[in-house]
Amino acid sequence: MNHLRPTLGLLLAALTTWTPAEAGTKLFTAAVSLGRVRRGTIGSTLVISPDSRRLAYVLQSGDKQRVCVNQLRGEPYDGIGKGSLTFSPDGKHVAYMAARGNQRLVVVDGAEGKAYDGIGTGCPVFSPDATRVAYWATRGGKRVVVVDGVESQAWDAVAAGPPQFSADGRRVAYGARRGDQWFVVSEQPSGPYEAIGHIAWSPDGKRIAFAARRGGNWLVVVDGAEGKPCDGIGEGFPRFSPDGRRVAYYAQRGDKWLVVADGTESKPYDGIAASGPIFSPDGKRVAFAARRGAKHLVVVDGAEGGEFDGTGAGTLRFSPDGGRLAYVATRGGKHLVVTDGSAGKPYDAIGGAGPLFSPDGKRLAYAAQRADQWLVVVDGTEGKPCDAVGRGSLAFSPDGTRLAYTAQRDGKALAVLDGAPSRACDAIAAGPIAFSPDGRHAAWQAQRGDDWYIVVDGAQCAQSDGFVRGSRLVFDSPTSLHALAHRTRHLFRVHVEITAE
């Protein structure tokens, strides 16, 4: 077992130890110091980079606040905008809103932008490719959108939320008002309208769609072409298919609801689930849950499935190859999983995360409850009962051949790999078990007594006081991973190398 402890007030830049593993491997660990948690740290502001390599937080020092990124402290300000601290998608850049007197400004990697009277809620925002930054700001009662430091024309209002980048980061769109007229602004304004709803970019960034109101009616506009008017559009819609070729949404007309896919309307129903229509990953199929009277059903490519007393909210799933569909339904007070139209065995409950397909789409797993016991069902076969299954912990290996999850049994926590339980511990961190890219290794975070460890294939290493909230285990290669941990107010990034005996 190895112990990662601070030395002379700082962690060693690289502390290494060999740890024998149960399956004929060794674990080699190294800890990299990210500095000491300073007094005045505002814990609720802590954010983790998407790759779990960096962390940032707000530090209070007297009447000033500053942002700390790993060991580096930024400039002091009168305040840092609540919820504004954010990393770019690649984890390399940091941005936030800061206050200086009555002025507000955006800081990106330590560089200050122009000062304004205010900065919009949810701002700033990075583009998906991490190369651009956008936000809206207020000056003299008018609002401007700022993209890469360049201001738009002045508007009387800008729609709530940050400007929206296309997936490739090349284009940006937002809703804006002049007088009582609203526009969707991209390269050129579209409108006018009485109101603007959800704006969506296609995954390739070439197409744009949005909901808008005109003459008291709502409609969807796709690439400038207006659809048929209706009384309402489902929140968060329209939505593009993953390949960007199709558009779908659900709409209200009178007291009925219907789904519109590529301009073609479904039958009217008494209700459509709030999750609305979903596309298969290849974009060829579309499915949604609907209600007719007191009965619920799922519609796939226009074909209605069987009727149930209810369908699980947000549980509708296409397999990664788009060939299969599964969801949770209720009938007679029991819960069951419906796969490709076939109802499974009834249970007292189905785990909140619903069914999970393997990456190749060939296997299906879910957690189910019978009386006071829980079990995991894989391809219709029940696993060994336990007291609880960790919510959202089910995970298939990338090749789909292995399954792991966390469970509770007799007051202890354990990981279950391919049906075999690990050594019991006091707790296991929430979330799915992490598999290596080749599926050969599985890792999780376990607690024994007051200490936490990284466990890989049953062997534990990297003792600490705990792991940074919001961080996760990340495999960097088939034989290496890292995590963010803390011990006696010190933060560090621990790296684990897996080698054969």
Side-chain angles (χ1 to χ4, degrees), residues 83-110:
S84 70
L85 182 58
T86 184
F87 278 101
S88 61
D90 62 3
K92 296 180 180 179
H93 307 283
V94 178
Y96 54 91
M97 185 271 283
R100 180 179 288 136
N102 294 325
Q103 296 292 291
R104 304 292 184 267
L105 53 127
V106 167
V107 182
V108 182
D109 295 334

Side-chain angles (χ1 to χ4, degrees), residues 351-354 356 365-367 376 386 388-397 402-408 414-417 428-435 443-444:
L356 174 71
Y366 56 91
V376 169
C386 56
V389 174
R391 182 180 176 86
S393 69
L394 269 68
F396 279 102
S397 59
R402 306 183 68 191
L403 176 71
Y405 59 93
T406 62
Q408 290 279 338
L414 47 89
V416 181
L417 301 172
I428 293 179
I433 301 290
F435 277 104
W444 60 95

Side-chain angles (χ1 to χ4, degrees), residues 142-478:
K142 296 291 185 178
R143 293 182 178 181
V144 295
V145 171
V146 184
V147 182
D148 302 331
V150 178
E151 295 181 0
S152 71
Q153 60 180 294
W155 299 92
D156 295 325
V158 173
Q164 297 187 40
F165 280 105
S166 60
D168 60 7
R170 296 181 178 180
R171 304 171 71 188
V172 66
Y174 54 92
R177 178 176 61 82
R178 179 171 292 119
D180 59 358
Q181 297 182 327
W182 282 88
F183 300 83
V184 169
V185 184
S186 183
E187 281 85 355
Q188 296 294 329
S190 297
Y193 299 99
E194 296 167 356
I196 298 296
H198 179 70
I199 301 173
W201 288 104
S202 62
D204 61 6
K206 296 179 179 179
R207 307 181 67 193
I208 187 172
F210 59 89
R213 190 181 71 208
R214 175 185 287 150
N217 293 316
W218 284 88
L219 48 90
V220 166
V221 183
V222 182
D223 298 330
E226 298 182 353
K228 191 174 180 180
C230 56
D231 298 323
I233 303 293
E235 186 175 354
F237 286 86
R239 179 180 295 168
F240 280 97
S241 60
D243 61 5
R245 296 180 178 181
R246 307 181 66 189
V247 179
Y249 58 94
Y250 69 106
Q252 183 180 19
R253 189 169 291 138
D255 61 351
K256 298 293 184 180
W257 289 84
L258 49 91
V259 165
V260 183
D262 304 324
T264 301
E265 298 180 356
S266 72
K267 293 180 182 179
Y269 294 94
D270 295 321
I272 301 291
S275 55
I278 66 167
F279 284 104
S280 58
D282 60 8
K284 295 180 180 180
R285 308 178 70 192
V286 63
F288 60 93
R291 179 177 59 83
R292 181 186 293 128
K295 293 299 182 180
H296 297 251
L297 60 147
V298 167
V299 183
V300 186
D301 300 329
E304 296 182 349
E307 292 187 340
F308 298 93
D309 298 333
T311 52
T315 64
L316 202 58
R317 303 272 193 281
F318 276 108
S319 59
D321 62 2
R324 306 180 67 191
L325 179 76
Y327 57 93
V328 176
T330 58
R331 177 183 285 160
K334 295 291 184 177
H335 302 253
L336 48 90
V337 170
V338 182
T339 309
D340 302 327
S342 179
K345 188 180 295 186
Y347 295 97
D348 295 322
I350 301 294
L356 174 71
F357 279 105
S358 60
D360 59 8
K362 296 179 180 179
R363 307 181 68 193
L364 180 73
Y366 56 91
Q369 183 183 23
R370 181 184 293 129
D372 60 351
Q373 295 286 292
W374 282 84
L375 46 91
V376 169
V377 183
V378 186
D379 302 328
T381 301
E382 297 179 352
K384 188 176 179 180
C386 56
D387 299 328
V389 174
R391 182 180 176 86
S393 69
L394 269 68
F396 279 102
S397 59
D399 62 4
T401 61
R402 306 183 68 191
L403 176 71
Y405 59 93
T406 62
Q408 290 279 338
R409 189 175 292 153
D410 299 326
K412 292 291 185 179
L414 47 89
V416 181
L417 301 172
D418 305 322
S422 69
R423 175 188 170 193
C425 59
D426 296 319
I428 293 179
I433 301 290
F435 277 104
S436 60
D438 61 5
R440 294 182 60 188
H441 304 290
W444 60 95
Q445 299 158 327
Q447 182 183 26
R448 291 191 173 91
D450 294 329
D451 293 318
W452 282 83
Y453 303 85
I454 293 175
V455 182
V456 183
D457 300 338
Q460 67 182 33
C461 64
Q463 181 183 8
S464 69
D465 291 339
F467 295 92
V468 177
R469 185 185 69 252
S471 66
R472 59 192 176 91
L473 289 173
V474 177
F475 271 93
D476 302 303
S477 75

Side-chain angles (χ1 to χ4, degrees), residues 5-192:
R5 299 180 182 276
T7 301
L8 299 178
L10 288 174
L11 289 165
L12 293 177
L15 177 64
T16 58
T17 302
W18 289 104
T19 303
E22 297 174 1
T25 61
K26 289 182 178 180
L27 306 180
F28 183 75
T29 63
V32 178
S33 174
L34 300 180
R36 193 172 187 274
V37 179
R38 303 174 185 274
R39 295 190 182 279
T41 297
I42 304 174
S44 62
T45 66
L46 181 69
V47 294
I48 309 298
S49 64
D51 58 5
S52 278
R53 288 184 173 274
R54 306 173 73 197
L55 52 84
Y57 54 89
V58 177
L59 178 67
Q60 184 79 46
S61 179
D63 61 351
K64 298 293 184 180
Q65 292 184 345
R66 65 178 80 209
V67 168
C68 293
V69 182
N70 290 356
Q71 299 184 63
L72 302 178
R73 291 189 292 176
E75 293 296 317
Y77 295 98
D78 295 324
I80 303 297
K82 184 177 180 180
S84 70
L85 182 58
T86 184
F87 278 101
S88 61
D90 62 3
K92 296 180 180 179
H93 307 283
V94 178
Y96 54 91
M97 185 271 283
R100 180 179 288 136
N102 294 325
Q103 296 292 291
R104 304 292 184 267
L105 53 127
V106 167
V107 182
V108 182
D109 295 334
E112 298 180 355
K114 291 182 181 179
Y116 296 94
D117 299 332
I119 301 294
T121 303
C123 298
V125 63
F126 283 98
S127 61
D129 64 359
T131 62
R132 309 180 71 189
V133 177
Y135 55 94
W136 62 263
T138 303
R139 180 190 290 139
K142 296 291 185 178
R143 293 182 178 181
V144 295
V145 171
V146 184
V147 182
D148 302 331
V150 178
E151 295 181 0
S152 71
Q153 60 180 294
W155 299 92
D156 295 325
V158 173
Q164 297 187 40
F165 280 105
S166 60
D168 60 7
R170 296 181 178 180
R171 304 171 71 188
V172 66
Y174 54 92
R177 178 176 61 82
R178 179 171 292 119
D180 59 358
Q181 297 182 327
W182 282 88
F183 300 83
V184 169
V185 184
S186 183
E187 281 85 355
Q188 296 294 329
S190 297

